[in-house]
Amino acid sequence: MAGDQLEVLTALDLAKTQLYHFKAIVIAGMGFFTDAYDLFCISLITKLLGRIYYYEAGSDRPGSLPPNVAAAVNGVAFCGTLSGQLFFGWLGDKMGRKRVYGITLVIMVICSIGSGLSFGSSATGTMATLCFFRFWLGFGIGGDYPLSATIMSEYANKKTRGAFIAAVFSMQGFGILAGGIVAIVVSAAFNNVYHALPFAQDPRGSTVPQADYVWRIILMFGAVPAALTYYWRMKMPETARYTALVAKNAKLAAADMSKVLNVELVEEQEKVERITKKDNNSFGLFSKEFASRHGLHLLGTTSTWFLLDIAFYSQNLFQKDIFSAIGWIPKASTMSAIEEVFRIARAQTLIALCGTVPGYWFTVGLIDIIGRFTIQLMGFFFMTVFMLALAIPYNHWTHSHIGFVVMYGLTFFFANFGPNSTTFIVPAEIFPARLRSTCHGISAACGKAGAIIGSFGFLYAAQNQDSTKTDKGYPPGIGVRNSLFVLAVCNVLGFFFTFLVPESKGRSLEDLSGENEEGEQTRPPHVSVSV
């Protein structure tokens, strides 16, 4: 049974959708736009980096990044992101969401510019500098995950909270799309001015010196949306739930939300003191009480996000390799370096436009109607179905490019109208305010651990089983077809771990976390969901 509830929190739960909701979505969402742009644009330029810095004179193949360098360039940002999620998630619960929120943007701006200005007296030096800035860029991006989700969940009303958090996360789709569009525009412009012959006709001349500017411009553009958002982030008031339930300042919470909601709210300092002194509002993350109340929930959010990101990031980062394997992107020797960037970007933009972006917005429209649990189960199920549909008749798709793109796009659609959205939303709803950002950061960090496995592992696993057909420097792998089977198994496991995650649709955050319960209750009720 629910006990005390602060008037300011009740007002937030019952508030009609207002302008401040949309401002919060845009302010938090632009951070995610930047996050996605920065994380995924690297996949557009790795082949170009190989051509510029690792071409060997006399070779019959264009230059390519050595396996260790490719793994580092693709995966180092995820290592930074994992660290940032844990650190800033913890810091958000200790210092407040707002105070930490601007720091992450500053880091992203500096490191986006630094990535584009990477220097070195040798190829190794340049790649090492790039990896340094990409790690710290990821560190800033990591902080955005728990902070944006927590801020939006604590600002939203309970009726449309899922849609608001999903709308913030949906900006990731636009960030992926923007990365492709920027790469298309930049590569087309440079190709028009500095046109070069294909590698087969002019191995050295196919990579013009000006190609070095292409990847730098693409990376540095990520600083623009982050810089534009900084002022508005600093203008946002701290969330009332942090101010009242964690900082225990009822007066400031009421004053801030009175301005936001345009209503008079009474400060209730005595009630705040009474609520926060309850036993069920004082246990820590590593306590038996937390394990009893939220242990299975945390296992559910961490495991599903981990399994989802193995598949999701493998697909996103290595689209270019899959498209090349089935022949949708021509062989590298038939293109110049800049033309190859254009074709990779065009293919990834098409997938984002047709599958990725629509999936996010289906979630926004339906999550508060059919619920998080159902969407996540459905997403894992159909991702499994479509990955198996790609893998089983794999040789057929090498002759049916349109069919492959449709099926591949559907896996992205159900990832985003599915677990890629819900794994972000639910951890921001079901844990207590004093641990909410930390638990979201832990869940997200487990997701990034999956992304690291996907980004490093898929590089090797997707290599052809025939050693004569592998990329230079790589040992034979299990091939794209068998890799798709492995990703399908990850989705099946994610489907079953979803049963550990409670449904949070339509319930207040305090009800979900048990913060409003009377002291004698030992565990918040787990919502049963019929499917």
Side-chain angles (χ1 to χ4, degrees):
M1 293 292 292
D4 291 336
Q5 173 73 312
L6 294 171
E7 180 184 340
V8 64
L9 303 187
T10 301
L12 283 168
D13 280 340
L14 301 178
K16 294 181 180 179
T17 300
Q18 300 177 35
L19 178 61
Y20 85 89
H21 286 123
F22 295 106
K23 286 177 65 176
I25 288 171
V26 172
I27 293 168
M30 285 307 293
F32 260 89
F33 177 97
T34 306
D35 298 349
Y37 181 96
D38 288 332
L39 285 177
F40 292 109
C41 69
I42 195 70
S43 66
L44 302 168
I45 62 167
T46 49
K47 285 186 178 288
L48 177 62
L49 292 174
R51 286 191 185 231
I52 294 172
Y53 294 103
Y54 290 93
Y55 171 66
E56 296 178 1
S59 173
D60 60 350
R61 292 184 182 184
S64 62
L65 295 178
N68 61 326
V69 176
V73 168
N74 278 297
V76 71
F78 294 136
C79 298
T81 304
L82 187 156
S83 304
Q85 286 163 336
L86 292 172
F87 177 72
F88 286 112
W90 169 79
L91 203 62
D93 283 333
K94 295 299 180 184
M95 294 178 56
R97 290 60 157 130
K98 178 191 173 181
R99 292 179 66 185
V100 182
Y101 212 23
I103 300 172
T104 61
L105 276 186
V106 172
I107 294 173
M108 283 191 277
V109 170
I110 293 172
C111 293
S112 290
I113 296 171
S115 295
L117 297 177
S118 297
F119 55 87
S121 58
S122 64
T124 302
T126 302
M127 293 301 106
T129 309
L130 175 60
C131 287
F132 172 83
F133 283 114
R134 291 284 297 174
F135 175 87
W136 290 108
L137 173 65
F139 189 71
I141 288 172
D144 236 40
Y145 276 74
L147 294 172
S148 290
T150 300
I151 285 172
M152 196 66 245
S153 76
E154 293 183 344
Y155 263 114
N157 61 57
K158 63 183 180 181
K159 183 179 179 182
T160 56
R161 185 178 59 238
F164 289 158
I165 305 174
V168 169
F169 193 63
S170 71
M171 295 302 290
Q172 187 180 75
F174 288 114
I176 295 171
L177 186 63
I181 292 172
V182 169
I184 287 172
V185 171
V186 172
S187 59
F190 271 79
N191 197 39
N192 185 54
V193 177
Y194 305 106
H195 185 70
L197 293 172
F199 178 87
Q201 297 181 32
D202 186 358
R204 185 171 292 278
S206 65
T207 306
V208 296
Q210 292 80 8
D212 196 52
Y213 294 115
V214 172
W215 69 269
R216 297 178 185 275
I217 292 170
I218 292 170
L219 291 182
M220 285 194 288
F221 187 84
V224 175
L228 292 175
T229 311
Y230 180 79
Y231 171 78
W232 297 106
R233 281 202 176 182
M234 294 299 93
K235 294 282 287 183
M236 290 181 75
E238 182 58 85
T239 70
R241 285 183 161 90
Y242 179 85
T243 305
L245 299 176
V246 184
K248 303 177 184 178
N249 189 334
K251 182 177 180 180
L252 182 58
D256 284 344
M257 291 307 104
S258 291
K259 295 176 184 177
V260 169
L261 297 172
N262 294 316
V263 296
E264 286 297 322
L265 295 169
V266 179
E267 61 175 277
E268 301 172 288
Q269 190 62 42
E270 289 185 6
K271 188 181 284 188
V272 166
E273 296 292 342
R274 186 167 66 251
I275 292 172
T276 54
K277 285 180 180 177
K278 290 180 180 178
D279 290 342
N280 59 338
N281 286 332
S282 59
F283 58 82
L285 179 64
F286 298 105
S287 65
K288 290 182 178 179
E289 185 71 7
F290 179 87
S292 172
R293 288 170 168 266
H294 301 291
L296 286 177
H297 297 168
L298 188 59
L299 175 60
T301 59
T302 53
S303 58
T304 52
W305 207 335
F306 172 79
L307 292 162
L308 176 276
D309 273 8
I310 292 176
F312 184 75
Y313 281 88
S314 294
Q315 285 182 284
N316 256 308
L317 285 173
F318 302 104
Q319 288 183 54
K320 61 186 185 301
D321 302 297
I322 294 171
F323 292 152
S324 297
I326 66 156
W328 196 36
I329 295 176
K331 291 183 177 180
S333 60
T334 66
M335 299 179 284
S336 68
I338 297 177
E339 183 187 357
E340 187 174 34
V341 173
F342 176 84
R343 287 185 176 264
I344 291 170
R346 186 178 64 178
Q348 293 194 191
T349 301
L350 181 62
I351 290 293
L353 191 61
C354 297
T356 304
V357 173
Y360 285 113
W361 287 96
F362 267 73
T363 301
V364 173
L366 295 173
I367 191 165
D368 288 311
I369 298 173
I370 62 177
R372 291 78 161 141
F373 184 89
T374 302
I375 288 177
Q376 185 159 310
L377 276 185
M378 178 187 65
F380 273 127
F381 175 80
F382 281 109
M383 286 176 69
T384 304
V385 168
F386 288 114
M387 281 190 184
L388 291 176
L390 288 171
I392 293 171
Y394 180 74
N395 292 329
H396 164 76
W397 300 118
T398 60
H399 308 292
S400 178
H401 298 167
I402 294 176
F404 181 90
V405 171
V406 170
M407 298 292 285
Y408 195 64
L410 283 169
T411 66
F412 280 109
F413 175 82
F414 282 105
N416 296 311
F417 180 38
N420 192 43
S421 295
T422 54
T423 53
F424 175 79
I425 295 166
V426 174
E429 299 180 304
I430 62 176
F431 299 107
R434 66 189 179 281
L435 300 172
R436 185 169 292 133
S437 180
T438 300
C439 289
H440 194 286
I442 292 170
S443 301
C446 287
K448 281 300 167 287
I452 291 167
I453 291 173
S455 60
F456 284 95
F458 200 85
L459 268 173
Y460 292 87
Q463 294 297 317
N464 200 293
Q465 293 171 291
D466 184 345
S467 60
T468 64
K469 297 180 180 179
T470 62
D471 292 338
K472 184 178 178 181
Y474 287 89
I478 60 175
V480 172
R481 180 174 186 262
N482 290 329
S483 297
L484 288 170
F485 279 122
V486 173
L487 299 184
V489 171
C490 291
N491 293 327
V492 171
L493 292 174
F495 178 92
F496 288 107
F497 274 105
T498 295
F499 287 92
L500 297 177
V501 182
E503 177 58 77
S504 52
K505 181 184 72 169
R507 301 174 65 192
S508 74
L509 297 179
E510 290 68 42
D511 181 29
L512 285 161
S513 64
E515 288 167 291
N516 272 355
E517 289 176 0
E518 301 302 331
E520 68 271 10
Q521 222 172 330
T522 59
R523 184 183 178 91
H526 190 296
V527 177
S528 61
V529 182
S530 58
V531 182

